[in-house]
Amino acid sequence: MEKLLFSITANGSPEVLERQISAIDRFSPGSFICVHHARGSTFRGGDVPQSSGSCNVFINPNSYEIRPQEGVLHAHVSNFQHAVAQSLDFDKIVLFSAEDLLIKSGLGEYTKRFTTGAQTELYESIETANNWSVFRPEVLDSAGMKHFLSLLGLPLFAGGQAEGQFFSRRVFAHLERMYMESFPMDPCGFPTEQILPPTLNMWLGFTGTNVSLPITFTAANAQMDISEAVLHQLKTGDGALHARAKPRALRPVHLGACVLKNVYAVSLPADRYEAWENVMSQSEDG
């Protein structure tokens, strides 16, 4: 089983963070957790839940500015740098937003089969660009993106969901170096976490690396609710889920195919936590 580092971009709520840490300790014991809180957050280091055995939780002392839809990859890069500086022994890094919750065990065994996991949708035409608002010509033409693409020898970028992407330590170190050379440790005007990792993964696929899907199921881009029935199906991993995508939204990567066995987490608003707890408890009772 691989040793995992969960990189979390937290939203400042101790209660939400406690749920995430508790779920990680429950389904992926022994993992490291590195938490970034945005500059200006009211979060205090003492807010880390002690009930979780928080010796595995590391609060990043660097707090960078975060703005909606303008990029948070710099926060994950900073978490990675902090984990390396702490000499943490991990094999893979998993990127989590503030809403990601693990739903089952076995992630360390699953990630061992792949170097990386990310959705890779290619920005290749005007038609594609019109389908998802993040695929914009100004992103492709920006100085940072041009330099990033030049490092890979690619003419175009790819995109994908941010939640649940994972990378080997070596691959993310490569991404970190390219990011630091191309972009500032600040919001960049577009969601870097949805563009740069998928683009690197696209390049890795071209060079013969087997790339998996992200491990988090999210309904943000689909016309569906994550009910207890959906959560139960995600936990068992059986069959497929179907729903329409929202207009001008990224294609929901886990819908319409029998890939639910590769889902180990769900992106869930805080007001749906009770449904998550009910399903997890029912599974254990059964």
Side-chain angles (χ1 to χ4, degrees):
M1 184 175 69
E2 291 197 310
K3 297 177 182 178
L4 302 179
L5 167 68
F6 289 86
S7 173
I8 298 176
T9 53
N11 65 2
S13 167
E15 293 79 12
V16 171
L17 180 59
E18 180 174 8
R19 291 166 184 168
Q20 288 188 290
I21 293 173
S22 177
I24 292 171
D25 287 345
R26 183 175 181 177
F27 294 116
S28 188
S31 297
F32 297 110
I33 302 166
C34 191
V35 182
H36 174 273
H37 279 273
R39 182 182 301 163
S41 168
T42 57
F43 178 84
R44 301 178 302 276
D47 291 332
V48 176
Q50 299 301 313
S51 60
S52 69
S54 57
C55 61
N56 64 327
V57 180
F58 296 82
I59 302 300
N60 189 341
N62 298 304
S63 294
Y64 292 98
E65 184 179 4
I66 298 293
R67 295 196 295 267
Q69 294 300 306
E70 293 196 22
V72 300
L73 185 58
H74 59 293
H76 289 299
V77 165
S78 182
N79 278 351
F80 177 79
Q81 293 171 337
H82 182 59
V84 171
Q86 298 301 307
S87 300
L88 302 187
D89 180 21
F90 61 94
D91 302 300
K92 292 285 197 316
I93 179 172
V94 184
L95 307 189
F96 264 18
S97 72
E99 295 185 343
D100 288 20
L101 285 168
L102 285 183
I103 57 173
K104 62 187 179 186
S105 303
L107 181 57
E109 289 295 335
Y110 175 75
T111 59
K112 191 174 181 179
R113 297 162 48 194
F114 302 96
T115 303
T116 65
Q119 181 180 7
T120 52
E121 307 288 335
L122 179 61
Y123 176 18
E124 60 183 353
S125 67
I126 295 299
E127 180 181 357
T128 304
N130 286 340
N131 286 339
W132 184 32
S133 58
V134 173
F135 279 170
R136 305 192 305 269
E138 57 266 32
V139 174
L140 182 62
D141 293 336
S142 66
M145 180 58 70
K146 285 183 176 180
H147 185 73
F148 186 86
L149 291 174
S150 72
L151 296 175
L152 295 172
L154 295 176
L156 297 170
F157 61 81
Q161 74 172 55
E163 300 88 349
Q165 298 179 101
F166 67 87
F167 309 86
S168 72
R169 182 168 179 156
R170 177 185 60 82
V171 166
F172 200 85
H174 185 47
L175 178 61
E176 175 217 358
R177 290 191 297 270
M178 291 194 300
Y179 182 91
M180 297 296 291
E181 188 173 331
S182 305
F183 297 96
M185 293 294 278
D186 284 302
C188 297
F190 66 93
T192 47
E193 70 282 3
Q194 291 183 287
I195 295 293
L196 304 184
T199 300
L200 176 60
N201 272 27
M202 179 175 66
W203 177 82
L204 289 169
F206 286 152
T207 58
T209 300
N210 289 327
V211 176
S212 174
L213 295 178
I215 58 95
T216 296
F217 179 91
T218 175
N221 295 326
Q223 299 179 34
M224 70 176 297
D225 294 320
I226 301 184
S227 63
E228 288 193 20
V230 168
L231 284 167
H232 178 74
Q233 190 171 354
L234 291 174
K235 185 165 179 63
T236 62
D238 295 328
L241 291 168
H242 301 270
R244 292 180 180 273
K246 293 179 180 177
R248 290 181 58 77
L250 176 68
R251 179 180 70 88
V253 69
H254 292 108
L255 292 181
C258 294
V259 295
L260 301 185
K261 289 191 182 300
N262 301 336
V263 170
Y264 286 83
V266 61
S267 181
L268 202 65
D271 61 3
R272 299 296 296 146
Y273 178 75
E274 184 177 352
W276 176 91
E277 186 61 66
N278 287 341
V279 172
M280 301 307 115
S281 299
Q282 291 166 9
S283 300
E284 291 174 355
D285 293 341

